[in-house]
Amino acid sequence: MLPESASVSSIPTGPDVYAPGRVGELTQIIDPVLVDAVIEETAAREQRLRLLPARVVVYFVLALAFFERSSYQGVWGKLTVGLGDTVVAHPCASSLSRARRRPGVAPLRALFTVLAGPVATPAQTCAF
């Protein structure tokens, strides 16, 4: 078996540089545990070890919506700036484009279904 095609669970890895809570401020708004659960539920988990794991790709796609006028690499830079001196992948735009397509729409649709709803409470008189 080639090392590139090995299962994710069979490869011992070092500390996860993209561990929950480390990739941008989006992880403070959208819980990484929820993102992981949605990825598992929709069977969008990567089948082999990748430089851009499924969780990171979901956050990247969400960040694309926030920074719509930025390039893929610009958004990637904004997403990973908080990692400081930690060595992370510096993917080119075509790699980010392919990574974006990999999980499909199901995880984002499921995440929207869980998170969508009114922000205001009925007690707030200015809300409608």
Side-chain angles (χ1 to χ4, degrees):
M1 178 184 293
L2 296 172
E4 300 87 37
S5 63
S7 169
V8 171
S9 59
S10 68
I11 296 176
T13 59
D16 185 2
V17 295
Y18 304 119
R22 295 188 68 190
V23 182
E25 293 184 22
L26 278 174
T27 58
Q28 296 174 13
I29 299 167
I30 301 173
D31 189 6
V33 175
L34 173 62
V35 173
D36 286 342
V38 164
I39 289 169
E40 289 297 326
E41 177 185 305
T42 59
R45 174 75 52 209
E46 60 274 358
Q47 298 300 310
R48 59 188 177 106
L49 185 63
R50 295 198 177 265
L51 291 175
L52 301 174
R55 178 192 325 123
V56 176
V57 173
V58 168
Y59 281 114
F60 174 70
V61 172
L62 293 170
L64 283 172
F66 284 112
F67 304 110
E68 64 183 35
R69 296 194 184 272
S70 295
S71 66
Y72 277 16
Q73 290 156 323
V75 172
W76 179 254
K78 292 173 194 278
L79 196 62
T80 58
V81 72
L83 296 175
D85 294 334
T86 306
V87 178
V88 296
H90 296 287
C92 63
S94 61
S95 296
L96 289 167
S97 179
R98 283 191 304 273
R100 189 183 82 129
R101 286 190 299 263
R102 216 176 13 246
V105 298
L108 292 165
R109 182 176 290 133
L111 192 60
F112 177 79
T113 302
V114 170
L115 296 174
V119 177
T121 64
Q124 293 175 303
T125 57
C126 62
F128 54 88

